[in-house]
């Protein structure tokens, strides 16, 4: 790629900025970043909400003048090879990269939206962007009654952060256990015990039916669908004080009502595919890409949370960075194919001592018929380790409480090697 090649990247998050930094002087790069904030690491938002980090601590390295902040792409003209923006400007491209990320899923709850409206009631927050985080931080103080809807990674992180701020937290999870995508039943039970000790009240197999609000017949109003990602309407935009609704509770399917001053919607994310769909690109769960991260238009690529590779949408920072690095190689002539990401999830709940619990999960944590499973548990130390073996290969694992061995286990898993001494890898000194 020569310097005359113009690359336009739509999205100023981890993936888009990583690509821009990797391309460097090899191309003329423009990054269109929708948010007005200094670019930040979304992974650290829970730490900001907990009060552990100031927002500026999450800042990513400055990309310099290649980033246009506060500019939203509204249309991709493939024939013209140009991106039309909401400020009236047009960005021509030789290569276009979609790094549009994902939106928070807003569930179809009664009372979430008024008919023909899309404003969230006061006190109801998604937890996806820095604006979401700052708005939620401003609403939380000791004693505030907070209900978190969703018991996945994001919901667990939000519940822990709110509890650290002194809120009275209830976590409502529709599934049978917390973090069911990453943890098995035993590990999830340990996690639930830890959160309970932090003061979080947990309800599993608990379906939320609607919100109760002031100012409207919320529980009986029809729900509106989640925001379409071709229209960026960040949750947190509120009406004037004279017409604002305020959340007062959460209504469960069994008729029970949870009182609430604050409600956090942590119901997952959905890839932002609206621009791609409008441009006629192939989309399924995400924007479909091949091993060179090309879309159905070879001049357009997609990376990060919006991309679907080999049927997989990762939604993880590690995958976004790997895809950005792989695409940089493709665009600069390296042509190294992207073959997928082997994802490791890590989370720290609490900060120090007895209030802290570390967990990690990787690969396939649910065994198939014929797989071998090795578990080590220590109830006194509150540690749990489980690995899944398929033949002589390590295919997944879960660790809670003590992660000194996770590096060695992850390297064995990523390398597809047969572990020489698995019991040693699982013990405390296995990582040394």
């Amino acid at each position: 790629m020569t310097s005359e090649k113009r690359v336009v990247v739509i999205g100023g998050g981890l993936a888009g900025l990583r690509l821009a930094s990797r391309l460097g002087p090899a191309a003329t790069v423009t990054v269109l970043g929708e948010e007005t904030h200094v670019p930040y690491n979304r992974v650290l938002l829970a730490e900001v909400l907990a009060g552990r980090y100031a927002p500026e601590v999450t800042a990513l390295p400055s990309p310099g003048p290649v980033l246009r902040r506060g500019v939203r792409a509204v249309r991709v003209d493939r024939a013209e090879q140009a991106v039309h923006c909401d400020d009236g400007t047009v960005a021509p491209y030789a290569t276009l990269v979609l790094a549009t990320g994902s939106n928070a899923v807003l569930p179809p709850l009664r009372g979430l939206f008024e008919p023909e409206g899309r404003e969230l009631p006061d006190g109801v927050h998604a937890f996806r962007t820095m604006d979401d985080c700052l708005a939620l931080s401003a609403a939380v103080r000791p004693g505030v009654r907070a209900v978190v809807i969703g018991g996945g990674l994001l919901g667990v992180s939000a519940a822990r952060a709110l509890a650290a701020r002194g809120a009275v937290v209830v976590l409502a999870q529709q599934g049978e256990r917390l973090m069911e995508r990453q943890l098995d039943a035993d590990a999830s039970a340990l996690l639930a015990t830890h959160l309970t000790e932090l003061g979080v009240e947990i309800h599993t197999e608990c379906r939320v039916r609607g919100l109760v609000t002031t100012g409207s017949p919320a529980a009986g109003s029809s729900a509106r669908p989640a925001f379409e990602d071709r229209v960026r309407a960040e949750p947190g935009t509120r009406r004037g004080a004279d017409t604002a609704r305020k959340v007062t509770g959460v209504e469960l399917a069994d008729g029970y009502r949870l009182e609430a001053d604050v409600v956090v919607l942590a119901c997952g994310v959905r890839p932002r595919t609206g621009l791609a769909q409008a441009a006629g690109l192939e989309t399924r769960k995400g924007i479909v890409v091949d091993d060179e991260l090309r879309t159905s238009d070879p001049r357009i690529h997609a990376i990060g949370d919006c991309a679907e590779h080999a049927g997989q949408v990762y939604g993880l920072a590690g995958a976004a960075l790997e895809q950005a690095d792989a695409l940089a190689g493709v665009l600069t002539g390296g042509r190294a194919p992207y073959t997928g990401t082997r994802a490791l999830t890590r989370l720290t709940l609490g900060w120090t001592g007895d209030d802290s619990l570390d967990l990690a999960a990787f690969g396939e944590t649910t065994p198939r018929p014929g797989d071998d499973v090795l578990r080590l548990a220590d109830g006194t130390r509150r540690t749990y380790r489980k690995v899944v073996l398929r033949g002589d290969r390590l295919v997944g694992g879960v660790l809670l409480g003590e992660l000194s061995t996770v590096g060695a286990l992850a390297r064995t898993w990523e390398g597809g090697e047969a572990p020489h001494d698995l019991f040693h890898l699982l013990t405390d000194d296995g990582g040394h």
Side-chain angles (χ1 to χ4, degrees):
M1 177 177 290
T2 66
S3 60
E4 286 75 28
K5 283 284 190 178
R6 182 177 295 276
V7 178
V8 173
V9 181
I10 301 177
L14 276 174
L17 295 182
R18 175 68 160 246
L19 175 65
S21 70
R22 289 291 188 260
L23 291 177
T28 301
V29 181
T30 299
V31 179
L32 305 176
E34 193 169 88
E35 295 187 62
T36 57
H37 295 285
V38 171
Y40 58 90
N41 186 348
R42 200 181 306 276
V43 173
L44 298 177
L45 287 181
E47 305 303 328
V48 174
L49 179 58
R52 186 181 185 190
Y53 293 159
E56 53 267 24
V57 173
T58 69
L60 297 172
S62 173
V66 302
L67 174 63
R68 295 178 57 196
R69 284 160 52 186
V71 177
R72 180 166 64 91
V74 295
R75 183 168 65 89
V76 174
D77 189 320
R78 291 167 55 193
E80 183 183 295
Q81 287 187 237
V83 179
H84 294 256
C85 304
D86 63 349
D87 62 356
T89 61
V90 177
Y93 65 84
T95 298
L96 176 63
V97 180
L98 301 175
T100 49
S102 54
N103 278 338
V105 171
L106 302 184
L109 302 178
R110 293 190 294 185
L112 185 61
F113 298 109
E114 290 182 309
E116 307 307 320
R118 66 182 188 204
E119 295 86 1
L120 294 176
D122 285 347
V124 178
H125 303 266
F127 188 42
R128 180 65 182 159
T129 68
M130 181 62 77
D131 282 338
D132 295 335
C133 182
L134 295 178
L136 188 53
S137 293
V140 176
R141 60 188 182 279
V144 160
R145 298 167 300 180
V147 176
V148 179
I149 301 175
L153 177 61
L154 189 62
V156 166
S157 299
R160 184 269 295 181
L162 292 169
R165 294 281 301 276
V168 179
V169 184
V170 176
L171 178 58
Q173 161 70 333
Q174 183 168 325
E176 293 183 356
R177 62 180 188 267
L178 301 179
M179 291 184 63
E180 52 192 356
R181 288 184 58 186
Q182 294 90 6
L183 304 182
D184 64 8
D186 292 333
S188 184
L190 284 173
L191 173 60
T193 298
H194 178 75
L195 287 174
T196 300
E197 291 173 352
L198 294 179
V200 178
E201 180 181 329
I202 299 170
H203 296 266
T204 55
E205 297 184 87
C206 170
R207 189 168 66 85
V208 175
R209 181 164 60 187
L211 302 180
V212 182
T213 65
T214 61
S216 70
S221 63
S222 60
R224 296 281 292 171
F227 299 147
E228 295 181 14
D229 54 8
R230 67 173 180 267
V231 179
R232 185 61 168 173
E234 286 293 345
T237 302
R238 307 298 179 194
R239 299 180 176 204
D242 56 335
T243 58
R245 296 180 299 142
K246 175 74 174 71
V247 70
T248 60
V250 171
E251 184 181 347
L252 306 181
D254 61 5
Y256 189 78
R257 179 178 295 182
L258 301 171
E259 299 300 316
D261 305 303
V262 170
V263 173
V264 180
L265 304 174
C267 304
V269 295
R270 179 180 292 114
R272 296 183 64 191
T273 60
L275 277 174
Q277 289 176 333
L281 302 177
E282 182 183 2
T283 63
R284 294 174 193 157
K285 291 178 292 184
I287 304 168
V288 177
V289 296
D290 63 13
D291 288 352
E292 292 190 344
L293 297 160
R294 293 175 302 191
T295 69
S296 52
D297 181 333
R299 295 167 299 188
I300 303 177
H301 300 255
I303 56 176
D305 289 5
C306 67
E308 177 182 338
H309 175 265
Q312 178 75 37
V313 176
Y314 290 96
L316 297 169
L321 296 175
E322 287 188 15
Q323 289 173 2
D325 291 346
L327 181 55
V330 168
L331 296 181
T332 54
R335 296 290 174 184
Y338 174 72
T339 57
T341 294
R342 297 174 74 82
L344 171 68
T345 298
R346 294 189 66 156
L347 179 65
T348 296
L349 298 173
W351 298 340
T352 59
D354 293 337
D355 287 338
S356 178
L357 178 69
D358 293 323
L359 66 87
F362 58 90
E364 299 179 47
T365 59
T366 301
R368 299 178 186 174
D371 288 349
D372 293 316
V373 178
L374 177 60
R375 291 183 177 89
L376 294 177
D378 186 331
T380 303
R381 299 175 61 192
R382 295 196 306 180
T383 62
Y384 175 81
R385 299 173 186 185
K386 164 191 161 182
V387 292
V388 180
L389 292 162
R390 186 164 301 144
D392 62 351
R393 294 291 185 267
L394 179 63
V395 297
V398 178
L399 295 88
L400 272 82
E402 169 57 56
L403 303 189
S404 62
T405 66
V406 70
L409 285 168
R411 286 190 296 272
T412 301
W413 165 64
E414 289 171 350
E417 306 166 2
H420 299 296
D421 188 345
L422 187 57
F423 186 82
H424 179 66
L425 281 177
L426 280 175
T427 58
D428 286 350
D429 61 347
H432 301 287

